[in-house]
Amino acid sequence: MLDRRRAGVTALLLSVVSMGAFAASMASYPDGWQDWPVVKESQNLPADTVLPPDTSLFIQESVRAYSWINNGQGSPLTIRVNPSKLEQYKTHGPYTDGPTAVAISEVDGIVWVTEHIGGLAIYGSYDREGKDVSHTHPSLEPSFCQSCHTTYQDICINGTCAEPVLGVYKDK
């Protein structure tokens, strides 16, 4: 039954992503995320960051995708996890249904949401008040998030990513 549900959710996600014009967030804005525990702190790197030659493709893509944040100056980034999913997060899933984690660009106030439905990750981008901002930049669209998280499955296990940005992530 679960495999059929996953297949149905996968088909739905693929059809929405392939439509291309769909920019609205798929993950729901989780009320109360501000009280979730902080599990990592990092940063969106500035546009003029020069990465070492051996930097992973995941980090290179992340820097390229989000270098526009804060007018190219970068921003602290805070990762919070739904308290009911902390144990699942420690092993990168599998995850139960519902909002899983948020990443907050502290300067611009962008709240990226990862939610799981039927074992699959879906994504959304909001401001701090819960307004959908996924239409404001191509890298905030759910299809962009889905593409990157799917491409780098060795780092983004079950939809949550865990490679430190140049050693800035710290486990808490």
Side-chain angles (χ1 to χ4, degrees), residues 24-36:
S25 290
M26 294 177 71
S28 56
Y29 180 80
D31 290 325
W33 63 262
Q34 301 88 337
D35 298 324
W36 292 1

Side-chain angles (χ1 to χ4, degrees), residues 154-170:
D154 56 328
I155 294 164
C156 301
I157 302 164
N158 288 318
T160 58
C161 305
E163 186 174 20
V165 176
L166 305 179
V168 180
Y169 281 96
K170 296 176 184 171

Side-chain angles (χ1 to χ4, degrees), residues 27-36 80 82 98-103 111-115 124 126-128 130:
S28 56
Y29 180 80
D31 290 325
W33 63 262
Q34 301 88 337
D35 298 324
W36 292 1
R80 295 176 176 268
N82 185 330
T100 302
V102 295
V111 179
W112 288 277
V113 179
T114 301
E115 180 174 359
Y126 297 89
D127 67 13
R128 288 181 174 272

Side-chain angles (χ1 to χ4, degrees), residues 5-172:
R5 184 175 177 196
R6 283 188 181 153
V9 172
T10 300
L12 173 66
L13 289 174
L14 289 175
S15 66
V16 168
V17 169
S18 67
M19 288 168 36
F22 188 86
S25 290
M26 294 177 71
S28 56
Y29 180 80
D31 290 325
W33 63 262
Q34 301 88 337
D35 298 324
W36 292 1
V38 173
V39 294
K40 296 182 191 239
E41 293 177 336
S42 185
Q43 61 183 344
N44 291 114
L45 297 173
D48 62 356
T49 299
V50 176
L51 297 170
D54 62 343
T55 302
S56 74
L57 290 175
F58 173 76
I59 297 297
Q60 291 176 44
E61 275 299 308
S62 295
V63 171
R64 187 173 21 259
Y66 301 111
S67 63
W68 59 272
I69 290 181
N70 188 23
N71 295 317
Q73 299 303 304
S75 172
L77 184 69
T78 304
I79 313 298
R80 295 176 176 268
V81 171
N82 185 330
S84 69
K85 295 191 177 186
L86 277 172
E87 291 305 312
Q88 296 169 30
Y89 180 79
K90 289 178 184 177
T91 60
H92 286 286
Y95 292 102
T96 54
D97 287 357
T100 302
V102 295
I104 305 94
S105 172
E106 297 295 348
V107 174
D108 283 356
I110 300 166
V111 179
W112 288 277
V113 179
T114 301
E115 180 174 359
H116 285 81
I117 296 177
L120 297 173
I122 58 174
Y123 305 96
S125 301
Y126 297 89
D127 67 13
R128 288 181 174 272
E129 289 74 44
K131 179 183 173 198
D132 190 327
V133 297
S134 59
H135 64 282
T136 62
H137 193 275
S139 66
L140 299 179
E141 293 181 8
S143 59
F144 183 89
C145 301
Q146 186 76 37
S147 174
C148 192
H149 285 234
T150 302
T151 298
Y152 299 103
Q153 288 182 17
D154 56 328
I155 294 164
C156 301
I157 302 164
N158 288 318
T160 58
C161 305
E163 186 174 20
V165 176
L166 305 179
V168 180
Y169 281 96
K170 296 176 184 171
D171 289 328
K172 289 193 169 198

